[in-house]
Amino acid sequence: MLRLFWLITRWIADLCARLRRLPRKAAMALGAPGPDQPARPDRLWRAMLVVSPLALFAALVMPQVTLVMSPSIEAYAVRKSPGPIARGDYVMFTLHHPIAGPKPVSVTKHALCLPGDRLTMFETPSPLAANSWDGHYYCNGRLLGVSLPKAHNGLKLIHMKWSGVIPAGMAYVGSTHPRGFDSRYFGLLPIVNLIRMERIL
């Protein structure tokens, strides 16, 4: 019982000491040069004039910036850029695939082959895995990439086996990275599901 009384007394004394220090802290917050000096609100207002525009800029700009976490793309940060998608543009989309995990993920790639372009794919025996084939993908004769038989975690990869003229409303997306996970594996994507982006970093 005595110990409880002692703890309560100690807590009250500590609370009183904190309350006594509040005016000093308030004065410091209002721009006082020292704990025992009078407040100088003009210093606080000058600081706010500098900080407030920066905070407003960050609040308006940062939500529009998307960080690119994939090493297969050479951009670190992108933002939405209205307009029609052209060959080579950055595009962002939502990927649903076991390789990406149980939940959909936002992915940024390049639009590499568009409607009317000819996508050519042919297979060769894979040097990386026995009894496997790699797909080689060309857009209008230019090499886009070569598929791999397995992912970095050992999961078997099934590559797209399609050739022909890219139909209206579809696109092949990817990157130059040899281990990039792109249309080589999940196929063509509807352009309406792609968001045009521009690199800012």
Side-chain angles (χ1 to χ4, degrees), residues 64-68 70-82 88-92 108-110 176 195-201:
Q64 301 176 24
V65 175
T66 300
L67 299 180
V68 179
S70 172
S72 67
I73 292 294
E74 62 280 1
Y76 297 101
V78 293
R79 66 180 176 189
K80 292 181 182 179
S81 179
D89 283 351
Y90 291 98
V91 291
M92 187 172 67
T108 301
K109 298 292 181 183
H110 287 287
T176 58
I195 301 172
R196 186 173 182 265
M197 310 294 285
E198 66 176 341
R199 178 181 179 177
I200 59 173
L201 183 63

Side-chain angles (χ1 to χ4, degrees), residues 18 23 45 68 81-82 105 114 124 152 165 184:
R18 289 174 182 268
W45 287 113
V68 179
S81 179
V105 295
L114 298 176
T124 60
H152 65 279
V165 176
R184 285 173 275 185

Side-chain angles (χ1 to χ4, degrees), residues 170-186:
M170 303 298 287
Y172 177 108
V173 301
S175 69
T176 58
H177 197 285
R179 287 196 168 272
F181 188 72
D182 49 37
S183 285
R184 285 173 275 185
Y185 308 103
F186 52 73

Side-chain angles (χ1 to χ4, degrees), residues 107-181:
V107 179
T108 301
K109 298 292 181 183
H110 287 287
L112 297 179
C113 211
L114 298 176
D117 291 337
R118 177 167 291 280
L119 181 70
T120 304
M121 188 279 295
F122 67 87
E123 295 179 311
T124 60
S126 177
L128 302 176
N131 302 318
S132 294
W133 295 78
D134 294 338
H136 302 250
Y137 300 87
Y138 291 80
C139 183
N140 300 328
R142 185 175 70 88
L143 179 65
L144 300 179
V146 180
S147 68
L148 297 172
K150 293 182 180 179
H152 65 279
N153 58 4
L155 188 66
K156 183 179 180 181
L157 293 172
I158 299 175
H159 60 265
M160 175 178 67
K161 299 181 180 181
W162 183 88
S163 288
V165 176
I166 302 283
M170 303 298 287
Y172 177 108
V173 301
S175 69
T176 58
H177 197 285
R179 287 196 168 272
F181 188 72

